[in-house]
Amino acid sequence: MIVTHNGWSRRLRGPAAVAAGALPALAFPAPALWWFAYVALVPWMLLLRSAPGGRRAAALEGWLGGAGFILAVHHWLLPSLHVFLIPVAALLGVLWIPWALLVRELLGGRPSAGRAAGALVLVPAGWLLSELVRSWQGLGGPWGLLGASQWQVAPALRLASVGGVWLISLLVVAVNCAGVLLVAVPGARVPAVAGLTGCALLTGAVWVWAGRPAESGGLRVAVVQPGPVPDGPDSVERRFTAGERLTRPLAGQRVDLVVWGESSVGEDLSARPDLARRLAALSAEVGAPLLVNVDARRADRPGIYKSAVLVGPGGPTGDRYDKMRLVPFGEYVPARSLLGWATSVGRAAGEDRMRGGAPVVMDLPGQRDGEAVVRLGPLVCFESAFPDMSRRLTRDGASLLIAQSATSTFQESWAPAQHASLAALRAAENGRPMVHATLTGVSVVNGPSGERIGAALPTSARTAQVYEVPLARGSTLYVRFGDWPVSAALAALALYCGAAGGRRLTMPSAPAPEPSSPPARTARG
């Protein structure tokens, strides 16, 4: 009976690892249980530290938990990828194996106070390594970074201004690690409490000394959200017309800029001068330039591009940004010759979109912030998930960050709220306001500290909303020093690996067993 019980418990560990890995998804929108992030990893880590069979079992449970995390955070991709999401999750789950081995090595058994203190640094660093690798655009990008779950917590947003979303992730995992020590290792309660105290002191110090962006003037920005338009041969024209209809009442409201969502214009404006004239007339009527998004085959070069285009009363101003980082499967199929069959399974792109070559900062005609011209930093869709892109725009002089998005394919899922929440992180990191304008919701505006400005436009809204957007000057520590928490985490891991390797080299090897002598023979008389 004991063997049977042990066998069943071992069989249940795999499903338990998947479920435990999925738990942190509850901290993200739509549930948005932000506080749960600080304990969500504890069940998974308790499972890893007790993995029977040592490193091999820990690696397996780390992989399964990572796959569970990816499935839970990205479950809304099922309408597009269908069953293909499962092998994608299995592939990305591999990235959590090194972290799982660290948890097993540093927290397993009865760790000493020194090993427990090391775990409070190295386990968060290992988690950040997995986040860093999967943030590569070819692996799907940095969607669902653990620190992003804290988008509505003011002290966390202040941390983002110092070390980006990466610093928040480090602290969240450190708190989880301390929780494991408190629950499972009574002898390590002193370093656990010291770790929690250190996290609290760091957060308090940043809150007091990091400072808030210095506000300087503001803009009246209108976000136009036309709502879902049913697919059909005339859907492009109906979407354009809906945008026109909602924009016209803005005349007389003294707006400085009107922003339309992603794919709001479905024809290249140089090939359709009639559409360019309609937009120019609309700009003249409203008294403000329009930032639209063209999703079309370009007339001047081969391929389909998604482009932010600024249009004034005289037509397109010449400022255009072509999207650089495309959504895997949604806008291109990686290794299409090998994975092209995905187009017959889900809603993968039938033709790859083309990439732009460089970020673009646009001057906003007629608007100044003191002596400086107000400049716009456009991003398209999930580019708002990449901290480095908005940081580059800020360093290039952007006064206002703008993300044009469309999540209509995932209208009833968690995706629109998850995407909108990223605007708070990017605004706080850069000390610049951010407008997240969508076709179908959720559209939001966040101030320079990441705070929400006005009311969000839910997925049910079909409207144009004007926001008073404060501008800010100065530079955050994150803009100045970049991803230094990532560098610090990698350095800590490198030192640990070097020390561990050195110990193995200097450790005396066990003496070889002496050969056994043959058994003595006795004379028989």
Side-chain angles (χ1 to χ4, degrees):
M1 291 299 294
I2 295 177
V3 173
T4 303
H5 173 74
N6 288 342
W8 273 109
S9 65
R10 291 200 177 200
R11 289 173 192 161
L12 290 175
R13 291 184 67 93
V18 175
L23 284 177
L26 297 175
F28 295 89
L33 305 176
W34 63 266
W35 51 268
F36 186 61
Y38 295 93
V39 295
L41 296 178
V42 171
W44 189 8
M45 293 168 73
L46 289 173
L47 199 67
L48 293 171
R49 73 178 294 274
S50 64
R55 295 179 180 177
R56 183 176 298 180
L60 175 62
E61 291 170 8
W63 171 52
L64 291 173
F69 178 80
I70 293 295
L71 282 172
V73 174
H74 296 81
H75 73 274
W76 43 268
L77 285 172
L78 281 169
S80 294
L81 297 184
H82 292 284
V83 296
F84 195 68
L85 181 59
I86 295 175
V88 168
L91 173 65
L92 294 178
V94 171
L95 300 177
W96 274 270
I97 290 178
W99 176 74
L101 293 175
L102 272 174
V103 172
R104 169 70 180 175
E105 183 72 19
L106 297 171
L107 296 176
R110 296 180 178 273
S112 64
R115 188 149 61 101
L120 290 168
V121 174
L122 295 167
V123 169
W127 179 276
L128 204 64
L129 177 64
S130 67
E131 290 199 333
L132 177 66
V133 175
R134 75 182 181 90
S135 294
W136 178 48
Q137 190 263 332
L139 291 178
W143 192 287
L145 300 182
L146 194 58
S149 66
Q150 306 303 293
W151 62 275
Q152 55 186 326
V153 182
L157 292 174
R158 193 71 63 85
L159 287 170
S161 73
V162 173
V165 67
W166 313 109
L167 183 57
I168 307 175
S169 286
L170 283 174
L171 262 67
V172 170
V173 181
V175 172
N176 276 272
C177 189
V180 171
L181 292 171
L182 289 173
V183 169
V185 189
R189 284 176 180 167
V190 171
V193 172
L196 291 173
T197 303
C199 290
L201 289 175
L202 175 61
T203 303
V206 168
W207 180 264
V208 172
W209 285 302
R212 293 169 59 88
E215 294 188 5
S216 59
L219 294 175
R220 287 175 58 82
V221 179
V223 174
V224 177
Q225 182 176 298
V229 173
D231 291 334
D234 61 342
S235 60
V236 169
E237 175 60 29
R238 283 188 287 117
R239 183 177 296 114
F240 187 95
T241 302
E244 277 185 312
R245 184 179 67 253
L246 292 170
T247 302
R248 283 202 174 91
L250 297 172
Q253 297 192 41
R254 297 179 294 105
V255 295
D256 300 310
L257 175 68
V258 180
V259 183
W260 287 15
E262 180 186 12
S263 304
S264 49
V265 179
E267 300 283 348
D268 186 69
L269 294 179
S270 61
R272 289 289 304 274
D274 57 318
L275 295 182
R277 286 193 295 270
R278 287 166 65 180
L279 288 171
L282 192 60
S283 173
E285 184 177 348
V286 173
L290 313 177
L291 186 69
V292 300
N293 190 272
V294 179
D295 182 0
R297 196 175 301 278
R298 290 186 62 160
D300 58 342
R301 64 185 67 175
I304 301 173
Y305 288 80
K306 285 191 175 182
S307 308
V309 178
L310 193 62
V311 182
T317 64
D319 286 321
R320 177 187 187 117
Y321 166 66
D322 297 324
K323 185 177 182 181
M324 297 170 61
R325 296 184 184 173
L326 305 177
V327 180
F329 297 100
E331 294 170 337
Y332 79 103
V333 176
R336 183 176 285 272
S337 59
L338 180 64
L339 302 176
W341 58 270
T343 59
S344 61
V345 176
R347 300 177 185 173
E351 178 183 349
D352 291 351
R353 297 297 195 270
M354 306 300 289
R355 289 180 170 83
V360 174
V361 176
M362 307 175 179
D363 291 346
L364 183 59
Q367 298 298 324
R368 301 185 72 84
D369 180 13
E371 297 298 320
V373 175
V374 173
R375 309 185 76 192
L376 311 178
L379 300 165
V380 181
C381 192
F382 96 137
E383 289 182 330
S384 66
F386 293 86
D388 66 297
M389 295 196 72
S390 53
R391 177 174 177 258
R392 167 69 184 274
L393 290 170
T394 303
R395 290 175 67 88
D396 287 347
S399 313
L400 174 65
L401 301 171
I402 300 175
Q404 297 172 298
S405 176
T407 51
S408 53
T409 304
F410 314 105
Q411 193 73 349
E412 304 302 323
S413 73
W414 294 359
Q418 281 186 18
H419 199 179
S421 70
L422 297 174
L425 272 299
R426 302 293 87 83
E429 287 169 345
N430 295 282
R432 295 292 183 269
M434 185 162 192
V435 174
H436 178 83
T438 74
L439 289 179
T440 59
V442 176
S443 296
V444 297
V445 177
N446 292 87
S449 296
E451 74 280 11
R452 180 69 58 85
I453 303 294
L457 300 182
T459 54
S460 59
R462 298 171 182 261
T463 187
Q465 180 72 39
V466 179
Y467 294 89
E468 298 283 352
V469 182
L471 299 178
R473 293 179 181 171
S475 180
T476 65
L477 291 174
Y478 176 71
V479 170
R480 275 181 256 165
F481 299 109
D483 300 330
W484 64 265
V486 174
S487 301
L490 294 179
L493 291 172
L495 288 173
Y496 172 73
C497 292
R503 282 196 302 270
R504 287 192 178 91
L505 289 174
T506 58
M507 186 180 298
S509 57
E514 295 183 3
S516 57
S517 56
R521 297 191 175 188
T522 58
R524 295 178 182 269

